[in-house]
Amino acid sequence: MTVKLTVNGEERQVEVKDGTRRLLDVIREDLGLTGAKEGCGEGECGACSVLLNGQLVNSCLVPIAQADGSRVLTPEGLAQTPEGQVLAEAFTECHGAQCGFCTPGMMMASAALLYRNSQPNEQEIREGLSGNICRCTGYDMIIDAVLMAAQKGRGLWG
Amino acid sequence: MGMSVRPVDLAEALILRDESGALPFAGGTDLMVRHRAKNGMGPSFQKSLLFVDHLPELRRVKWDHGELEIGAAVPMAVLADDPRARKDALRREEASEEALSKIPSLLRDAAFDLGAPALRTRATPGGNVANASPAGDVLTALVALDARVILAHRNGERELPVLDFTLGPGKTQLAQNELIRAFRFPVPETRWCYWRKVGTRRANALTKVSLGAFGTIQNGTLESLSLAFGAVGPRIVLADDAAKMLLGFSEKDFESSDGKTRMAQAQKLAAQVISPIDDQRSTAHYRKTVALNLFEEALRALAKNLKENTDD
Ligand SMILES: Cc1cc2nc3c(=O)[nH]c(=O)nc-3n(C[C@H](O)[C@H](O)[C@H](O)COP(=O)(O)OP(=O)(O)OC[C@H]3O[C@@H](n4cnc5c(N)ncnc54)[C@H](O)[C@@H]3O)c2cc1C
Ligand code: FES
Ligand code: FES
């Protein structure tokens, strides 16, 4: 089947043999966008997070047939936006990334949180990132980064 | 390997279901994990898949004559009050502000406790109920709300209580040609809700024990009550005998000696119907103790609620 997607603002078409192919694999292999990562492949770690029609999803759990006709924002696309830049600066300043494996997913989840709640408190940030696992930072520095991104990006998140 | 189909509407979906017996597939948060292959590879399904996540008839939240109807494929995020998910639902006219405002806190809190944000945008109540896990959070809440499941087939619909629909883990009364279309339950004006889930990690934790309680209050007295325990047996457990002991309770009964005797009896009756098992997540003894602690906590919350209502 032919699947149509708008990925990071660009219209793309992919041929897939099987509609159950995962959105994650299409993004990484067919489109060559490797920002979204496979950690667990079971919805537990959030490394594969993307926005599907503006909503945060684990792309390892979405069969491509369900995404046909949708908008997808990947970590690469987020990085190009002013919001993504504010997040990247905040993660850098607060040392929110160490090995970096979780970071693209963390930023997607952070963006999704800030889009629905532009001034979250610490507890709301912890809940917003609760589907994202980090083996390195101990989370506190990531929380600081999101607080900073909320502060610095005032007005950006709408 | 089967085919996957994405019908345009419920009518087409029901014909396909009848003719092919294809496996309904909503948010995929259970199915994708259950049929997962190796890393870097898609899942493998033996059967054809019938995608239902997008069907308009399954995505509505309707308020109708004192009853709320929740479509089987309404994302948990909408039930859990995720503002972006709700905005989308309103924009697509799948729900009205009024209908959303009627979602009782019991259901909202149970949906919010289900996994993490990225899971709630996909996971659905239809999938949670069809899964029939005794640890299903929204299933437990729907049982406490005395909800009925509406099952559609190509020639009509039938309705039955959600609890009767579930037979045990992974087993339900869903017929080969049916889909879950929606859930329906009354939402009275003066209601009391309680929800508590005990798990390990805040997100993505499988429920060890949960309690959903729903009561109606008339002139400061408890008129009806249902107590639904999750993860304490192969199915959700309704502690109806315990609940009956408490009917007619008002604020003062929580202090009187007669009231205290009835509460102790109610707790004994609840203990009798809770028969958890040992498994890798926790022991039966732990589960029973926690379940009874939740019962006590619910009674305290109820006492407080009756007090506050009688005060004004
Ligand atoms: C990381 C993670 C964390 C989780 N945490 C929780 C949790 O905290 N609490 C909890 O209760 N669950 C949890 N789950 C389980 C799961 O997310 C829920 O059970 C969810 O509600 C399933 O819905 P779905 O739409 O994704 O189901 P699917 O995977 O699409 O389907 C599940 C089953 O339901 C059937 N089905 C779906 N829709 C219909 C329909 N309309 N008619 C007939 N049959 C249908 C399917 O055929 C299948 O058998 C978790 C899962 C993961 C991966
Ligand atoms: S890889 Fe998708 S959640 Fe872990
Ligand atoms: S920075 Fe290494 S996993 Fe988070």
Side-chain angles (χ1 to χ4, degrees):
Chain A
M1 68 184 281
T2 308
V3 176
K4 285 194 188 148
L5 300 169
T6 306
V7 182
N8 302 330
E10 235 179 88
E11 285 188 24
R12 308 289 294 257
Q13 281 199 10
V14 281
E15 276 304 319
V16 292
K17 269 211 293 271
D18 186 346
T20 64
R21 204 172 140 77
R22 302 179 304 175
L23 175 60
L24 174 65
D25 300 324
V26 169
I27 295 171
R28 289 180 58 85
E29 290 162 18
D30 303 19
L31 303 176
L33 297 167
T34 54
K37 314 260 181 263
E38 174 151 22
C40 63
E42 313 197 326
E44 298 271 359
C45 77
C48 64
S49 305
V50 300
L51 300 191
L52 183 65
N53 293 326
Q55 311 251 16
L56 189 71
V57 303
N58 297 315
S59 62
C60 71
L61 296 184
V62 180
I64 194 65
Q66 287 188 324
D68 193 12
S70 301
R71 281 179 293 121
V72 180
L73 187 77
T74 72
E76 289 85 349
L78 177 66
Q80 300 301 315
T81 63
E83 298 93 308
Q85 279 156 21
V86 166
L87 273 170
E89 279 165 31
F91 269 70
T92 312
E93 262 185 66
C94 299
H95 305 283
Q98 288 181 17
C99 82
F101 190 82
C102 72
T103 314
M106 283 290 180
M107 289 202 192
M108 295 307 304
S110 303
L113 167 67
L114 291 167
Y115 282 133
R116 54 178 196 267
N117 175 2
S118 62
Q119 296 298 319
N121 60 30
E122 180 186 330
Q123 197 210 327
E124 288 164 340
I125 297 174
R126 288 192 187 275
E127 203 291 315
L129 302 183
S130 60
N132 296 70
I133 292 179
C134 175
R135 311 302 295 265
C136 304
T137 62
Y139 301 98
D140 289 350
M141 292 176 281
I142 294 177
I143 311 289
D144 292 344
V146 179
L147 284 169
M148 181 185 281
Q151 199 62 34
K152 284 197 174 173
R154 251 176 211 281
L156 265 186
W157 304 101
Chain B
M1 190 186 66
M3 289 258 301
S4 51
V5 243
R6 223 169 171 228
V8 290
D9 58 16
L10 179 62
E12 187 192 353
L14 291 170
I15 293 171
L16 288 165
R17 174 94 169 124
D18 188 33
E19 288 172 356
S20 71
L23 181 68
F25 188 114
T29 60
D30 279 314
L31 286 173
M32 289 296 274
V33 176
R34 208 176 313 142
H35 295 269
R36 143 160 224 259
K38 294 202 291 273
N39 265 28
M41 280 182 48
S44 75
F45 290 94
Q46 303 307 317
K47 273 187 146 183
S48 305
L49 302 184
L50 183 63
F51 292 115
V52 300
D53 57 306
H54 60 292
L55 296 176
E57 297 88 342
L58 270 61
R59 294 185 61 99
R60 293 190 188 123
V61 181
K62 271 197 290 203
W63 176 246
D64 175 24
H65 295 94
E67 288 209 318
L68 195 60
E69 188 178 297
I70 309 264
V74 173
M76 296 297 181
V78 171
L79 302 180
D81 199 13
D82 172 333
R84 247 166 107 87
R86 284 204 174 178
K87 219 165 100 190
D88 277 3
L90 290 168
R91 185 177 43 77
R92 285 195 295 260
E93 297 183 5
E94 292 165 354
S96 63
E97 293 277 7
E98 187 190 24
L100 292 175
S101 75
K102 300 291 182 186
I103 296 174
S105 64
L106 168 57
L107 184 59
R108 191 184 66 217
D109 295 348
F112 185 76
D113 268 355
L114 195 141
L119 199 84
R120 296 197 289 271
T121 57
R122 303 296 306 162
T124 68
N128 201 243
V129 169
N131 224 15
S133 158
D137 291 321
V138 162
L139 168 60
T140 308
L142 288 171
V143 169
L145 288 163
D146 200 13
R148 284 115 53 214
V149 56
I150 301 172
L151 303 167
H153 54 89
R154 63 193 287 185
N155 301 315
E157 292 191 338
R158 66 178 175 128
E159 252 184 51
L160 66 164
V162 169
L163 183 58
D164 295 351
F165 176 67
T166 65
L167 301 173
K171 291 204 186 71
T172 67
Q173 299 211 35
L174 186 76
Q176 273 296 316
N177 63 346
E178 285 177 326
L179 289 172
I180 303 177
R181 181 176 67 73
F183 302 95
R184 260 183 99 89
F185 49 89
V187 183
E189 275 300 317
T190 48
R191 54 184 183 263
W192 167 75
C193 294
Y194 169 90
W195 168 256
R196 175 82 78 184
K197 154 180 174 171
V198 178
T200 36
R201 191 150 65 93
R202 163 66 188 82
N204 296 357
L206 264 169
T207 298
K208 288 178 167 186
V209 185
S210 63
L211 173 58
F214 188 72
T216 54
I217 291 165
Q218 208 53 257
N219 304 321
T221 61
L222 186 66
E223 216 181 36
S224 74
L225 175 66
S226 74
L227 298 162
F229 287 94
V232 295
R235 296 164 74 210
I236 308 299
V237 169
L238 267 179
D240 278 346
D241 289 336
K244 265 192 213 118
M245 287 300 305
L246 302 168
L247 290 187
F249 254 53
S250 63
E251 185 202 339
K252 60 175 191 340
D253 293 305
F254 290 91
E255 305 300 330
S256 75
S257 67
D258 175 52
K260 284 182 179 158
T261 315
R262 277 163 69 195
M263 283 194 284
Q265 265 172 317
Q267 186 161 17
K268 260 199 208 118
L269 290 168
Q272 280 167 18
V273 291
I274 303 168
S275 54
I277 48 155
D278 288 315
D279 68 8
Q280 68 272 34
R281 275 179 266 138
S282 36
T283 63
H285 176 72
Y286 169 86
R287 282 209 166 97
K288 191 154 190 162
T289 310
V290 174
L292 293 175
N293 287 347
L294 295 186
F295 178 79
E296 282 177 13
E297 185 186 66
L299 285 193
R300 283 195 299 275
L302 176 61
K304 186 158 174 269
N305 182 284
L306 284 170
K307 184 157 186 231
E308 279 159 14
N309 280 353
T310 14
D311 274 355
D312 51 47

